[in-house]
């Protein structure tokens, strides 16, 4: 057992559960990626248009290019958006399978 994990022993059921803090942190970052007003606006916009460049996103949302790029990077790290290169343009699309996974996880968490 590493320092990044702890083992919990349930005295009633005699079962053991380990908590992996690295995985827990990654999961928290994924949820945090969705829990932001501007990122939700970006997701909604991409959903409406199906694919957009960073230029189209920052123009439509009236934000700075650097701000749009930073938020898209967070969504990309969480695997919520995908990129597709077409010539000199990079288009952002939604990873609907990943969003469904996250929604399922959140639903299970709230049971």
């Amino acid at each position: 057992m590493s320092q990044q994990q702890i083992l919990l022993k349930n005295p009633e059921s005699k079962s053991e559960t380990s908590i992996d803090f690295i995985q827990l942190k990654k999961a928290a970052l994924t949820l945090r990626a969705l829990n932001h007003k501007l990122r939700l606006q970006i997701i909604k916009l991409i959903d409406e248009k199906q694919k957009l460049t960073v230029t189209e996103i920052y123009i439509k949302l009236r934000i700075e290019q650097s701000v749009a790029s930073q938020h898209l990077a967070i969504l990309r790290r969480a695997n919520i958006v995908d990129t597709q290169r077409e010539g000199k343009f990079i288009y952002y699309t939604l990873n609907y399978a990943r969003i469904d996974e996250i929604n399922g996880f959140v639903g299970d968490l709230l049971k």
Side-chain angles (χ1 to χ4, degrees):
M1 182 95 16
S2 73
Q3 288 184 330
Q4 303 297 332
Q5 292 182 333
I6 61 170
L7 185 64
L8 304 174
K9 298 176 184 178
N10 185 334
E12 295 173 10
S13 66
K14 308 267 194 264
S15 64
E16 294 181 346
T17 302
S18 69
I19 298 176
D20 184 327
F21 289 105
I22 293 174
Q23 286 185 330
L24 189 62
K25 186 173 182 176
K26 287 179 182 178
L29 289 172
T30 298
L31 291 176
R32 200 173 302 139
L34 284 172
N35 189 27
H36 191 279
K37 183 180 176 181
L38 182 54
R39 288 192 286 270
L40 289 175
Q41 289 177 328
I42 291 170
I43 289 168
K44 185 178 177 189
L45 183 61
I46 295 171
D47 178 57
E48 290 170 1
K49 303 295 183 183
Q50 295 301 299
K51 69 178 187 177
L52 291 169
T53 65
V54 68
T55 304
E56 292 169 321
I57 292 168
Y58 79 76
I59 289 173
K60 289 187 186 298
L61 294 178
R62 295 188 174 112
I63 58 176
E64 294 291 325
Q65 183 271 330
S66 61
V67 171
S69 293
Q70 288 172 353
H71 287 285
L72 285 165
I74 292 167
L75 293 170
R76 210 172 41 248
R77 280 193 299 274
N79 204 18
I80 294 167
V81 297
D82 293 321
T83 58
Q84 299 172 323
R85 179 175 285 279
E86 292 181 19
K88 66 178 184 172
F89 297 104
I90 296 175
Y91 288 93
Y92 289 86
T93 59
L94 291 180
N95 183 345
Y96 290 100
R98 177 69 168 159
I99 294 168
D100 288 343
E101 285 175 356
I102 295 166
N103 278 333
F105 167 76
V106 169
D108 289 344
L109 193 61
L110 296 175
K111 286 183 184 176

